[in-house]
Amino acid sequence: MKDELVRALDACDGSALLSLAEDVHYADLAGFYEDLNDEERDFLLKTIGPELATDVVAELPYPLIEEALNHFKPAQLRVLLGNLSDDDRVDVFQVVSEEAQRRFFALLGPRDKELTKSLLKYDEDTAGGRMTTHCGRITADMTVKQAIAVLRRDKDNAETLSRIFVVDAEGRLVGKVRLRDLAFNTWDTPIRDIMEEALEYVLASEDQEEAARILSRYDLIVLPVVDEFHHLLGVITYDDALEILQEESTEDIEKLAAISGEHSEVSYLNTKVVVHYQRRVTWLVGLAFVSIASGYVMFRFNNLLGRAQLLSLFLPMVVAAGGNSGGQAATMVIRAMALGEIGPGNALKVAWKETRTGFFMGISLAIAIALFIVFILPRFPGSGYDFTRLAISVAVAITIQVLSATVLGAMLPLVARAIKLDPAVVSSPSLASTVDVSGMLIYFTTASAILHL
Amino acid sequence: MKDELVRALDACDGSALLSLAEDVHYADLAGFYEDLNDEERDFLLKTIGPELATDVVAELPYPLIEEALNHFKPAQLRVLLGNLSDDDRVDVFQVVSEEAQRRFFALLGPRDKELTKSLLKYDEDTAGGRMTTHCGRITADMTVKQAIAVLRRDKDNAETLSRIFVVDAEGRLVGKVRLRDLAFNTWDTPIRDIMEEALEYVLASEDQEEAARILSRYDLIVLPVVDEFHHLLGVITYDDALEILQEESTEDIEKLAAISGEHSEVSYLNTKVVVHYQRRVTWLVGLAFVSIASGYVMFRFNNLLGRAQLLSLFLPMVVAAGGNSGGQAATMVIRAMALGEIGPGNALKVAWKETRTGFFMGISLAIAIALFIVFILPRFPGSGYDFTRLAISVAVAITIQVLSATVLGAMLPLVARAIKLDPAVVSSPSLASTVDVSGMLIYFTTASAILHL
């Protein structure tokens, strides 16, 4: 399918391109669009026209939307913007430049203007900013027949009719029915008799991640969004939950690797080198300067390395073991927080669990290394060392280093959350750079004490 | 609600507990169960009985399921196992011990036995292993009225009726209709006239992640699962997609932090210390021994550090910059692969992008460090060094280190995928340990050449 699209595009064969584009799912067409150059994008959009382009534009990564819309003339844009579902339209307004915002807004019809303005009130990351106002909405005093008539009128607008919400005269959420309950009951059944309580809902001001977690926890297809007076404002659907949770995972993964800034939305290959560079260089330079602290400790204790050269053999090990174990602990805690399993309130329990885990890991590592130093190392040619003392010294240092790094790694994300920072700012590299310093200090202090250097 | 449950449980007040449990969502009840001790779990399960416990058991983390089922007598178990939906029942059989598998299987009715056996054929991680056979299923020659009659008969069994699938006389998938199309059309409309092609489907043998990606890409509520002859076997639903993608993200995050083994399913706090220990200690010990290679390079070049002590100041920096930049690149590539954006076929493009990104990052870092060495470092007391030469030496080393680590970090996950390994085995710590060695070598070689040591 993709090859045929490419061929039609290369041949500038508009009618072939149009008929192919009509058969392709808009998600695929959006993916195809992303990989094109400016000229090809222009030809594709002009060929398919504003109606077909509506769904494609709604699927595009945010940074590509404004440019895509600028390919259309005002009259076409008016059609396209009018066709967008209200939540997609708000997304568009949230991601384009202010200049484009004004220009696009002027093209909207009076009802869409009002609706868009009311939705733009909500922050992009809240349930309100993510919801659509299009949902099945009936009242309890209707019969099944009346309800079906109402829903049939709106059916093309409703995001999903899997759940239909029942509101009172003031528009407050009072219950829900399933479409199957309408389809399978006699037409004169009153809605009141078949509706259930709508126990799950979310406030419009709530974080969108909270909405996604509720959808996921209760396996909901549609989650109603209400204001503080319980008025039904709109719904968030299962596909939003998927998107939100995927975005969140991607952000956590990237932050854990010390990649800063928003995930670019554009696919990896379509992200420009300068953007890749920008998202990584800040942390890289920052962490490099933090490493000077480790270097300074090494510099200070350099004479120790001169006096007992074998010490250098285990310095990287002790240092790295801290970064590794701390990173493991931080990752476990950050993910458990993202999955809603723990919060700052569990800090003590987490600390106790990680103290034991860190201790056992440290001891295991210490024993393995000590055995290596006592039994394997003497077989290599070298000066006659006191291998037992060296083993004790390295073992003690590595136990302290792993234990302290594990507890620190587990606690820092909880502290970050407690002071309202994103837990994932505690990236593995920043943690590693920190415990590098402590690792050097622990190693040299232990060595000079035990080896009498 | 939770407090009330705790109070009823503490007071051993069965009737209060039962009425509370009936009001709570089963997902919440499962979460509550997880936090109880053995005695409390027994009391809770016996109080709520097998009917209510069915949904709770299906929601439990896998490792808790067998123990939960063992609280019931055979007659109760027969009810509970019979009540489970077929995909949940297969999950149960896949996670319990062989002994329990035999014992539970004997309790099933003849139809459930056959169904379970046929579903157990499919690997746990495939679309077939994840699907439910309960789905709306009609034929094209029915009228809307006949279809509604068929669906009404099965309505309690069907996982979701949002999409109803149309099969031919041999049970091959030929199309789909939406429940709303049935509800909003006249009763004598033939299904043939309102059905659409079912373009999206997945083979039962396909990986479950592929099914999740299709559901997510096309915003589907239900995805049909077919065999190689296009027979409709069952469906996978949106909530499976959510679960699969969340599991996958968690696994990737954990692997990236060198945490091995399956994600435990049990929440962080309910995971025993010994499990936490087991999942982390292997990599920790393995990586520690890899670090001896770095230590050996340091040991070999120790005399260099003795001759130019200031070199130690920048050694940790050069080494860490490799681990950090390599980890960033590996993370970007692994995530892009997980999101289906790139594969081994894009290796050249990725290499070129990362070469440029790595080069610019290396140069930026080099300039920052060189400026620091030339302008800031001389202000501190110390012997008269040739700071310009030192700056050049460190700058050259860090550029090479960042560039090579970035390209290596980006390539290794692609290589892993190409040889059918999980890309996320290339964890940040294992990458860091590898480029630590090259970093040491690069640093000392550059220094001895440029500083004539």
Side-chain angles (χ1 to χ4, degrees):
Chain A
M1 193 57 110
K2 203 186 151 186
D3 296 344
E4 292 171 54
L5 278 168
V6 172
R7 232 173 295 135
L9 199 63
D10 285 347
C12 288
D13 183 345
S15 58
L17 188 61
L18 180 60
S19 82
L20 282 167
E22 276 167 345
D23 287 344
V24 172
H25 193 284
Y26 54 83
D28 293 326
L29 206 54
F32 176 70
Y33 174 89
E34 235 192 279
D35 293 333
L36 302 179
N37 65 33
D38 280 348
E39 221 172 305
E40 294 167 329
R41 286 177 178 178
D42 188 58
F43 184 71
L44 177 66
L45 288 176
K46 290 203 166 128
T47 305
I48 64 175
E51 276 90 3
L52 203 51
T54 306
D55 287 332
V56 177
V57 167
E59 281 285 320
L60 285 182
Y62 291 157
L64 300 185
I65 288 183
E66 180 167 350
E67 187 242 303
L69 291 177
N70 285 337
H71 287 283
F72 292 102
K73 298 205 182 69
Q76 295 176 309
L77 256 182
R78 184 191 300 272
V79 175
L80 196 155
L81 291 169
N83 279 350
L84 280 171
S85 76
D86 57 352
D87 51 339
D88 289 335
R89 195 186 302 122
V90 169
D91 284 346
V92 167
F93 277 93
Q94 272 160 345
V95 298
V96 300
S97 65
E98 274 186 48
E99 176 272 322
Q101 226 176 56
R102 271 193 302 275
R103 195 153 43 86
F104 296 164
F105 195 76
L107 294 168
L108 296 180
R111 267 203 58 214
D112 286 345
K113 268 189 184 145
E114 204 178 311
L115 187 59
T116 306
K117 222 191 268 175
S118 78
L119 285 175
L120 277 172
K121 273 196 327 228
Y122 301 106
D123 197 52
E124 213 181 323
D125 297 331
T126 62
R130 195 85 184 202
M131 71 185 177
T132 168
T133 58
H134 295 309
C135 59
R137 192 188 293 246
I138 54 179
T139 56
D141 52 6
M142 290 178 177
T143 60
V144 166
K145 186 172 183 179
Q146 290 170 319
I148 286 183
V150 168
L151 296 170
R152 182 186 285 158
R153 219 175 42 212
D154 306 337
K155 71 171 167 178
D156 295 325
N157 274 325
E159 185 86 355
T160 167
L161 290 176
S162 303
R163 290 295 176 282
I164 297 140
F165 296 100
V166 185
V167 293
D168 64 15
E170 275 79 46
R172 285 184 295 245
L173 178 68
V174 294
K176 60 180 179 184
V177 293
R178 299 184 300 179
L179 185 57
R180 63 169 85 169
D181 297 324
L182 300 184
F184 300 153
N185 273 292
T186 51
W187 280 20
D188 52 358
T189 313
I191 294 301
R192 195 177 311 284
D193 289 0
I194 53 173
M195 79 181 201
E196 293 170 59
E197 254 187 290
L199 292 173
E200 286 91 23
Y201 56 85
V202 68
L203 277 175
S205 54
E206 199 85 61
D207 195 309
Q208 61 173 356
E209 288 173 16
E210 181 56 24
R213 266 193 287 271
I214 298 176
L215 274 155
S216 149
R217 180 171 178 93
Y218 301 114
D219 291 348
L220 305 174
I221 295 185
V222 200
L223 178 68
V225 181
V226 299
D227 65 14
E228 58 272 45
F229 306 109
H230 217 64
H231 292 116
L232 178 64
L233 302 175
V235 295
I236 290 188
T237 50
Y238 65 99
D239 50 318
D240 294 317
L242 253 173
E243 236 172 70
I244 293 167
L245 293 174
Q246 284 284 79
E247 279 168 19
E248 192 190 357
S249 299
T250 303
E251 272 177 29
D252 280 357
I253 289 177
E254 292 184 347
K255 282 193 195 133
L256 272 168
I259 298 165
S260 62
E262 290 267 304
H263 177 62
S264 78
E265 296 267 344
V266 187
S267 73
Y268 170 88
L269 282 180
N270 287 310
T271 302
K272 295 203 176 74
V273 168
V274 56
V275 176
H276 279 299
Y277 167 84
Q278 282 168 346
R279 297 192 62 208
R280 305 188 206 169
V281 76
T282 325
W283 271 107
L284 207 57
V285 173
L287 291 172
F289 279 93
V290 173
S291 294
I292 295 183
S294 309
Y296 183 70
V297 177
M298 256 189 87
F299 174 69
R300 281 318 229 167
F301 287 92
N302 215 349
N303 51 341
L304 242 67
L305 288 183
R307 265 175 275 157
Q309 301 226 353
L310 262 190
L311 275 182
S312 14
L313 208 52
F314 301 101
L315 177 62
M317 174 196 285
V318 173
V319 168
N324 293 344
S325 57
Q328 288 176 328
T331 302
M332 290 298 268
V333 168
I334 287 170
R335 190 62 185 165
M337 274 201 271
L339 297 174
E341 294 175 358
I342 53 173
N346 306 109
L348 268 180
K349 278 190 185 170
V350 174
W352 175 226
K353 207 171 264 290
E354 292 297 329
T355 304
R356 286 174 294 163
T357 309
F359 178 73
F360 292 126
M361 291 197 300
I363 288 286
S364 309
L365 202 48
I367 292 172
I369 299 305
L371 292 176
F372 175 83
I373 294 177
V374 174
F375 292 108
I376 315 271
L377 205 57
R379 293 165 189 246
F380 292 97
S383 48
Y385 272 91
D386 183 345
F387 285 107
T388 316
R389 267 185 194 278
L390 180 65
I392 295 175
S393 164
V394 173
V396 170
I398 212 163
T399 307
I400 300 177
Q401 167 75 342
V402 168
L403 174 59
S404 59
T406 302
V407 175
L408 187 73
M411 289 298 103
L412 281 184
L414 289 168
V415 172
R417 167 69 63 88
I419 57 173
K420 310 276 175 220
L421 284 176
D422 184 339
V425 296
V426 185
S427 67
S428 305
S430 60
L431 191 69
S433 299
T434 312
V435 297
D436 273 6
V437 186
S438 61
M440 296 260 182
L441 277 173
I442 292 169
Y443 189 64
F444 287 120
T445 317
T446 320
S448 64
I450 295 180
L451 300 178
H452 306 303
L453 293 170
Chain B
M1 193 57 110
K2 204 187 151 186
D3 296 342
E4 292 171 55
L5 279 167
V6 172
R7 232 173 295 136
L9 198 64
D10 287 347
C12 287
D13 183 347
S15 58
L17 188 60
L18 180 59
S19 82
L20 282 167
E22 276 167 344
D23 286 344
V24 172
H25 194 284
Y26 53 83
D28 292 326
L29 206 53
F32 176 69
Y33 174 89
E34 234 192 280
D35 294 333
L36 302 179
N37 65 34
D38 281 349
E39 220 172 306
E40 293 167 332
R41 286 177 178 178
D42 189 59
F43 184 71
L44 176 66
L45 289 175
K46 289 198 168 133
T47 305
I48 64 176
E51 277 90 1
L52 202 52
T54 307
D55 287 332
V56 177
V57 167
E59 281 285 319
L60 285 182
Y62 292 156
L64 300 186
I65 288 182
E66 181 167 349
E67 186 242 302
L69 291 176
N70 286 336
H71 287 282
F72 292 101
K73 300 206 181 68
Q76 295 178 309
L77 256 183
R78 184 191 301 271
V79 176
L80 195 155
L81 291 169
N83 279 348
L84 279 172
S85 77
D86 58 351
D87 51 339
D88 289 335
R89 196 187 301 120
V90 168
D91 284 345
V92 167
F93 277 93
Q94 272 161 344
V95 298
V96 299
S97 65
E98 274 186 47
E99 176 274 321
Q101 224 175 59
R102 272 193 302 275
R103 194 153 44 85
F104 296 164
F105 194 76
L107 294 169
L108 296 180
R111 268 203 58 216
D112 286 344
K113 268 190 183 143
E114 204 179 308
L115 188 59
T116 305
K117 223 191 267 175
S118 77
L119 285 175
L120 277 172
K121 273 195 330 226
Y122 301 105
D123 198 52
E124 214 181 323
D125 296 332
T126 62
R130 195 85 182 203
M131 72 185 175
T132 168
T133 58
H134 294 310
C135 59
R137 191 188 293 247
I138 55 179
T139 56
D141 52 6
M142 290 179 179
T143 61
V144 165
K145 186 174 183 178
Q146 289 169 320
I148 286 183
V150 168
L151 295 171
R152 182 185 287 159
R153 218 176 42 214
D154 305 337
K155 71 171 166 177
D156 295 326
N157 274 325
E159 184 85 357
T160 167
L161 291 175
S162 302
R163 289 296 176 281
I164 297 140
F165 296 100
V166 184
V167 293
D168 65 13
E170 275 80 45
R172 283 186 296 245
L173 178 69
V174 294
K176 60 179 179 184
V177 293
R178 298 185 298 179
L179 184 58
R180 63 170 86 171
D181 297 324
L182 300 183
F184 299 154
N185 272 293
T186 52
W187 280 22
D188 53 355
T189 313
I191 294 300
R192 195 179 310 285
D193 289 0
I194 54 173
M195 78 182 202
E196 294 170 59
E197 255 187 290
L199 293 173
E200 287 91 23
Y201 55 85
V202 68
L203 277 174
S205 53
E206 199 85 62
D207 196 307
Q208 60 173 356
E209 288 173 17
E210 181 56 23
R213 266 193 286 271
I214 298 175
L215 274 155
S216 148
R217 181 172 176 90
Y218 300 115
D219 292 346
L220 305 174
I221 295 185
V222 200
L223 179 69
V225 181
V226 299
D227 65 14
E228 58 272 43
F229 306 109
H230 217 63
H231 292 116
L232 178 63
L233 302 175
V235 294
I236 291 190
T237 49
Y238 66 99
D239 49 317
D240 294 316
L242 253 172
E243 234 173 72
I244 293 166
L245 293 175
Q246 284 284 80
E247 277 169 22
E248 193 192 353
S249 298
T250 302
E251 271 178 29
D252 279 357
I253 289 177
E254 292 184 347
K255 281 191 195 136
L256 272 167
I259 298 165
S260 63
E262 290 266 303
H263 176 63
S264 77
E265 294 266 346
V266 187
S267 74
Y268 170 88
L269 283 180
N270 287 310
T271 302
K272 293 204 178 73
V273 167
V274 56
V275 177
H276 279 299
Y277 167 84
Q278 281 168 347
R279 298 192 61 208
R280 306 189 207 168
V281 76
T282 326
W283 271 106
L284 207 58
V285 172
L287 292 171
F289 280 93
V290 174
S291 295
I292 295 183
S294 310
Y296 183 70
V297 177
M298 255 190 88
F299 174 69
R300 281 317 231 168
F301 287 92
N302 216 347
N303 53 342
L304 241 67
L305 287 183
R307 264 177 276 156
Q309 301 228 353
L310 261 191
L311 276 182
S312 15
L313 208 50
F314 301 102
L315 177 61
M317 175 196 286
V318 172
V319 168
N324 294 343
S325 57
Q328 288 175 328
T331 302
M332 290 298 268
V333 167
I334 287 171
R335 190 62 186 166
M337 275 201 267
L339 296 174
E341 294 175 358
I342 53 174
N346 306 108
L348 268 181
K349 277 190 187 170
V350 174
W352 174 226
K353 207 171 264 288
E354 292 297 328
T355 305
R356 286 175 293 163
T357 308
F359 179 73
F360 291 126
M361 290 196 302
I363 287 287
S364 309
L365 203 46
I367 292 173
I369 300 306
L371 291 176
F372 175 81
I373 294 177
V374 174
F375 291 107
I376 314 273
L377 206 56
R379 293 167 189 245
F380 291 97
S383 49
Y385 273 91
D386 184 343
F387 286 107
T388 317
R389 268 184 194 278
L390 180 66
I392 295 174
S393 166
V394 174
V396 169
I398 212 162
T399 307
I400 301 176
Q401 167 75 342
V402 168
L403 174 59
S404 60
T406 302
V407 175
L408 187 73
M411 289 298 104
L412 281 185
L414 289 167
V415 171
R417 168 68 63 87
I419 57 174
K420 309 274 174 222
L421 283 177
D422 183 339
V425 296
V426 185
S427 67
S428 304
S430 59
L431 191 70
S433 298
T434 315
V435 297
D436 272 5
V437 187
S438 59
M440 296 258 182
L441 277 172
I442 292 168
Y443 189 63
F444 288 119
T445 319
T446 321
S448 65
I450 294 180
L451 300 178
H452 306 303
L453 292 171

